[in-house]
Amino acid sequence: MGTLGVGGVVDFIRSALPHARTLMRWRRSMAEEFGSDVAGGITEFADLNIVFTSREFQPASKQIDDRFRFVGPSIDPATRDGDFPYELLTDGMKVYLSLGTVNNLDTDFYRTAFTAFADYPAQFILSAGNNTSLAKLGDIPANFVVRNYVPQLEILQRVDAFVTHGGMNSVHEGLYYGVPEVVVPHHTEQLLNGKRVAQTEVGILLGERRPYGHVTAPELRAAVDSVLTDPLYHANAARMGQTLRDAGGYTQAVSEIEKYLENINAPALMPG
């Protein structure tokens, strides 16, 4: 319980309760297909387990052994393109802010960011989500470019820091391009991702106390200032990004599966 804390465990249980019937149904289905031994635990491991992160970003665990293959994320900017006014981007430092596809209606957070950075010597690109009314955000500072949709993978290659809700996809995508992060989690699993960001010193975790997602403008400004100016975060994010790229992505996953199938299908040698 040390990683989550008592409050985090309570939050996790509370979030899982509405799905209890579905989980039990899945458990019965697994028992019918694979046997009760396999379905008896919450987490089960196969003879080959593909893990979509790098070994370096994976937290230490005694359960990790040679059955696990770390292949990193599969990232291709061409699969998530879209219109964006790149001509509005200026020289100098740039910061990207996004709360992902689920938490992007948190307009209070956007206004906090406006307050924090209206006079900051950098440009900010904010992805507000397709369902957010930009007209209701109020006055947008001149150093902000705010859009309902931003081609995240392209923008991450052009910025110096990433303020994120801490979803695993977003965390991976920022680090893949060597961008240090400020994580403001809105749910328990995002808190865990943010803690790993802080542990590996590739960024800073904010707002880890409940209610999640609540930070002050001074806290947010200080964190962004740190990741922009402290070379440690940039060096560590670049190093972690290299591990994610070197892991191989989906092509390495295919290779691992093919090797596994070759091994289990190879004819057994008869004793001499």
Side-chain angles (χ1 to χ4, degrees):
M1 200 175 345
T3 302
L4 276 177
V6 174
V9 171
V10 171
D11 283 347
F12 178 79
I13 294 173
R14 185 183 295 117
S15 66
L17 283 177
H19 308 288
R21 293 181 66 180
T22 299
L23 293 172
M24 292 303 295
R25 185 166 63 251
W26 287 348
R27 183 179 183 278
R28 288 194 296 270
S29 176
M30 289 180 64
E32 292 173 0
E33 185 170 356
F34 301 109
S36 58
D37 290 342
V38 171
I42 296 176
T43 301
E44 298 294 339
F45 305 124
D47 294 329
L48 173 66
N49 302 274
I50 303 296
V51 186
F52 292 94
T53 191
S54 66
R55 185 66 185 87
E56 291 80 359
F57 196 64
Q58 167 68 36
S61 172
K62 294 180 179 178
Q63 295 177 315
I64 301 297
D65 54 27
D66 58 6
R67 296 173 296 171
F68 292 79
R69 300 290 187 274
F70 291 86
V71 303
S74 296
I75 292 177
D76 181 1
T79 64
R80 289 164 54 190
D81 57 0
D83 292 333
F84 184 81
Y86 292 102
E87 68 276 6
L88 296 181
L89 298 182
T90 60
D91 295 333
M93 291 188 297
K94 288 180 278 294
V95 179
Y96 175 52
L97 303 92
S98 172
L99 295 181
T101 56
V102 176
N103 307 113
N104 55 34
L105 294 177
D106 187 357
T107 54
D108 287 341
F109 177 81
Y110 301 149
R111 295 189 187 97
T112 297
F114 295 161
T115 300
F117 303 116
D119 63 344
Y120 195 89
Q123 185 177 40
F124 294 81
I125 301 98
L126 170 60
S127 177
N130 290 330
N131 295 318
T132 298
S133 171
L134 302 187
K136 293 182 179 180
L137 293 180
D139 293 334
I140 297 175
N143 61 337
F144 271 75
V145 177
V146 180
R147 291 293 184 272
N148 290 109
Y149 171 79
V150 172
Q152 180 161 299
L153 297 178
E154 288 290 348
I155 290 298
L156 283 171
Q157 299 177 63
R158 301 165 184 251
V159 299
D160 304 284
F162 181 22
V163 179
T164 171
H165 63 303
M168 184 54 81
N169 284 341
S170 290
V171 167
H172 272 155
E173 288 167 2
L175 294 179
Y176 189 88
Y177 293 113
V179 182
E181 301 175 343
V182 174
V183 179
V184 184
H186 283 61
H187 295 294
T188 301
E189 59 94 5
Q190 296 165 3
L191 171 62
L192 293 176
N193 297 337
K195 286 191 173 185
R196 189 58 181 160
V197 166
Q199 289 166 358
T200 55
E201 297 185 294
V202 297
I204 293 174
L205 170 63
L206 291 180
E208 60 182 295
R209 295 183 178 181
R210 294 176 295 158
Y212 299 137
H214 288 245
V215 294
T216 67
E219 288 172 335
L220 188 58
R221 184 181 177 112
V224 167
D225 196 50
S226 292
V227 299
L228 284 175
T229 59
D230 190 337
L232 171 72
Y233 294 113
H234 289 272
N236 288 341
R239 190 178 304 113
M240 190 63 72
Q242 191 65 54
T243 72
L244 294 174
R245 296 190 297 274
D246 289 347
Y250 68 89
T251 56
Q252 184 62 32
V254 171
S255 176
E256 296 291 352
I257 292 171
E258 289 178 339
K259 286 190 292 185
Y260 172 75
L261 293 176
E262 288 173 2
N263 289 335
I264 65 172
N265 292 325
L269 297 176
M270 297 297 292

